[in-house]
Amino acid sequence: MNGKHGDMRTKNPGFKALLLTIPATLLVISGCWNPFSPNTETGGTNQYHNPVDSAYKALENLEYAYVSMDIGHYLDCFRDDFEFHLLEVDWDDYDGDGIIDEYWGLDLEEAFHEAMFNNLFAIELTLSGTSQSPWTGDSTGQSLQLTRTFDLKVYTDEAQSQGFRASGDALFICRQDSTGEWYIWQWWDQSET
């Protein structure tokens, strides 16, 4: 994935922060990728879990939504109380309120990913790992923590020869909503910078 945009294997600014480093011009590029006919090589044929009756299924749906670049299914992985926790090196004022953000909520998560999905040619995301245990931050014992290693590639050209790559670890805290479906409540970037 070398090209005019660089090789992100040498610098890993964090999973989500990477997405913010994509050049601003990318947001105005109109691509030829058709979201109604996704490239099956990047996962367009995946079947989403419904119902999401296990925490790991929420993560698999997240992975499917990324490779399908499907904002609706992506947002289904979260609820209004979602938090994405950044590495300290990535803390910044993302919402323009003059306060440095250590994490952001669903509104910014949606805005960032809607722009990304609409302006890239393809995305590959692989989440690896099977660990699952009760999260110690929840005294009720109802939330589960799932640590995953991720490998993310985003392509800025139709030939999928240029783009960005990030890899590292992430901690997902999942819990059930009022209907009993599992969702991603918190997402902690644990990448090394």
Side-chain angles (χ1 to χ4, degrees):
M1 295 203 25
N2 290 316
K4 69 179 183 179
H5 295 292
D7 183 349
M8 291 307 294
R9 289 173 288 197
T10 59
K11 181 181 179 201
N12 187 349
F15 189 35
K16 292 294 176 103
L18 165 75
L19 303 176
L20 301 176
T21 64
I22 296 173
T25 56
L26 179 61
L27 296 178
V28 296
I29 295 173
S30 61
C32 298
W33 188 81
N34 181 351
F36 300 107
S37 180
N39 180 346
T40 58
E41 292 177 15
T42 59
T45 61
N46 289 315
Q47 180 68 38
Y48 291 95
H49 296 288
N50 187 12
V52 183
D53 54 8
S54 299
Y56 81 88
K57 290 181 179 180
L59 297 188
E60 287 185 358
N61 280 354
L62 174 89
E63 192 174 1
Y64 300 158
Y66 251 90
V67 298
S68 299
M69 296 174 30
D70 184 321
I71 193 67
H73 279 110
Y74 183 73
L75 294 174
D76 287 344
C77 298
F78 313 107
R79 301 298 179 270
D80 290 339
D81 61 351
F82 172 75
E83 297 175 353
F84 179 81
H85 291 263
L86 299 148
L87 293 171
E88 186 174 355
V89 68
D90 296 321
W91 292 355
D92 203 347
D93 181 11
Y94 291 99
D95 57 9
D97 65 0
I99 300 170
I100 298 298
D101 299 309
E102 298 177 22
Y103 67 91
W104 61 61
L106 188 59
D107 56 342
L108 287 178
E109 187 74 10
E110 179 178 3
F112 293 151
H113 282 78
E114 188 168 25
M116 183 177 68
F117 291 169
N118 286 335
N119 292 291
L120 290 173
F121 285 92
I123 297 174
E124 295 176 19
L125 173 65
T126 303
L127 297 175
S128 302
T130 58
S131 71
Q132 178 174 303
S133 60
W135 181 51
T136 58
D138 180 358
S139 61
T140 68
Q142 299 300 307
S143 299
L144 296 176
Q145 60 183 10
L146 295 85
T147 301
R148 297 293 184 263
T149 299
F150 67 84
D151 185 32
L152 172 69
K153 299 173 189 170
V154 296
Y155 297 98
T156 58
D157 67 326
E158 190 171 11
Q160 298 182 11
S161 62
Q162 296 182 32
F164 298 93
R165 182 177 188 181
S167 58
D169 294 316
L171 173 65
F172 297 92
I173 309 299
C174 297
R175 63 183 182 184
Q176 291 177 293
D177 64 16
S178 61
T179 69
E181 293 226 5
W182 286 88
Y183 71 99
I184 300 167
W185 171 38
Q186 295 181 13
W187 183 342
W188 294 76
D189 185 352
Q190 297 184 328
S191 307
E192 295 181 15
T193 57

